[in-house]
Amino acid sequence: MTSTDAPSAISTAPAPAPPVLAEVVRSGFTEGHHRGSLVLLAADGGVERAIGDPTAPVFPRSSNKPMQAAAILRAGLDLSGERLALAAASHSGEPFHLDLVRKMLAEHGLTTADLQTPPDLPLDPVEAETYLAGGNVRERITMNCSGKHAAMLAVCVRNGWDTATYLDPAHPLQRLVGQVVAEAAGEPVAAVGTDGCGAPLMAIGLTGLARAFRSFVLAEPDSAERRVADAMRTHPEYVAGTRRPDTWLMSEVPGALSKMGAEAVQAVALADGRALAFKIDDGSTRALGPVLARALELLGVDAPVVARIGRSPLLGGAAEVGEIRATF
């Protein structure tokens, strides 16, 4: 074999680890790190700061819900107010959430038996404890995505689409969701998976996710995108719950649109078009608040709610002995 016939060398070096976004400090000792990627967009849409690789595709998880809700509107379902906010929600499972899901189903001749969400407990720990103390068991309606699923089923009834297959990626509704996600993000969907609730899940980059949220707050008032953004901002308690950071932020920062996703994904857009998106690589939501608060500070948000969101104490026994804090 000549030198020209020798096989080319294949690199086996591991990919570089994402940068540290937050550190875990206990009793003055740094005991852990949370890595990830983050992007901040200026009001004109340009990238103001990038940490890690925010162009790499991720599954935004429930941060995709505003786009899913916009697709439902585009498909012809006339939703507004609390109903539209709940269609874009990861609700806490509080009584007012569950009551409205039941009403939305009944309005279209549906019941909770039509939901294809997995049985689950309320997302909020306080609500879950109360729910279990009442002798209840996991149900489909208490799963945090039941509002979105109720809206998906309702638009299927409205259009004469099959309700039994509403979660199939080839279903007309899910194909439309994919189109809306790609349009809002300004990039093609990189992969399609299955979310925790069973719905199809579209992968995009964090920069695309931030662009999508920015496009919703800047959209024309009568567009599906702006209607979703306005409903979420007007009724944030239906998007999350009374004890959730998304609710606090949208309630206390005028014009802010905020939606977290599982595996520690977060996207926010401000009224003037500034936006952010990030993902904690290990999926730990305990680092989400400190990273979000620091990102908001870098975007120039000056409000008491930022400190509230960013507080993430560590306990030793019953005493506070440390914190999780952003490192950028």
Side-chain angles (χ1 to χ4, degrees):
M1 178 182 292
T2 66
S3 59
T4 56
D5 295 326
S8 58
I10 299 175
S11 174
T12 58
V20 173
L21 296 183
E23 60 185 2
V24 183
V25 181
R26 180 181 297 275
S27 304
F29 178 83
T30 301
E31 68 171 347
H33 301 89
H34 294 289
R35 299 176 178 273
S37 295
L38 175 147
V39 66
L40 304 179
L41 300 185
D44 65 2
V47 174
E48 186 170 286
R49 184 165 183 180
I51 301 174
D53 184 4
T55 65
V58 302
F59 280 135
R61 303 300 295 271
S62 285
S63 293
N64 268 349
K65 281 179 177 170
M67 286 81 88
Q68 292 171 317
I72 290 167
L73 292 183
R74 286 200 197 179
L77 187 65
D78 186 15
L79 283 179
S80 61
E82 295 92 337
R83 285 168 172 76
L84 183 51
L86 193 61
S90 300
H91 65 71
S92 291
E94 295 173 69
F96 68 91
H97 295 129
L98 306 184
D99 289 344
L100 187 53
V101 173
R102 292 188 182 95
K103 288 178 183 177
M104 289 170 63
L105 290 167
E107 287 165 356
H108 296 275
L110 299 159
T111 71
T112 57
D114 294 297
L115 294 169
Q116 293 184 25
T117 46
D120 205 352
L121 297 173
L123 183 62
D124 184 280
V126 174
E127 295 302 323
E129 288 183 7
T130 302
Y131 183 78
L132 290 171
N136 298 297
V137 297
R138 296 173 186 268
E139 296 184 73
R140 296 184 184 278
I141 192 172
T142 44
M143 200 272 170
N144 73 88
C145 299
S146 64
K148 177 184 78 176
H149 282 244
M152 286 181 169
L153 283 164
V155 77
C156 289
V157 171
R158 189 261 182 203
N159 290 336
W161 292 337
D162 184 31
T163 57
T165 59
Y166 77 98
L167 298 183
D168 189 320
H171 192 280
L173 173 60
Q174 303 304 340
R175 292 202 304 269
L176 180 56
V177 169
Q179 294 172 20
V180 173
V181 170
E183 289 174 13
E187 63 185 61
V189 170
V192 178
T194 303
D195 210 343
C197 67
L201 177 61
M202 288 72 182
I204 52 177
L206 291 169
T207 304
L209 180 60
R211 279 196 301 257
F213 272 61
R214 179 178 182 275
S215 74
F216 271 53
V217 301
L218 298 179
E220 291 298 319
D222 292 331
S223 65
E225 292 77 12
R226 181 63 175 273
R227 288 171 61 192
V228 171
D230 288 350
M232 292 174 67
R233 294 182 292 187
T234 303
H235 305 283
E237 70 280 6
Y238 279 89
V239 177
T242 55
R243 291 174 288 270
R244 302 270 296 284
D246 282 332
T247 300
W248 304 340
L249 184 58
M250 289 190 283
S251 297
E252 300 180 38
V253 176
L257 178 68
S258 179
K259 186 71 192 72
M260 60 80 68
E263 293 297 314
V265 177
Q266 179 76 51
V268 177
L270 303 176
D272 65 357
R274 287 172 290 163
L276 67 88
F278 66 83
K279 178 178 175 10
I280 307 298
D281 197 54
D282 62 12
S284 176
T285 55
R286 70 176 183 170
L288 194 149
V291 173
L292 174 57
R294 178 58 180 156
L296 291 168
E297 289 174 353
L298 291 175
L299 281 184
V301 178
D302 182 14
V305 69
V306 175
R308 183 183 183 191
I309 289 172
R311 180 167 164 73
S312 185
L314 297 177
L315 300 181
E320 186 174 327
V321 298
E323 65 176 341
I324 300 170
R325 62 192 183 198
T327 58
F328 57 96

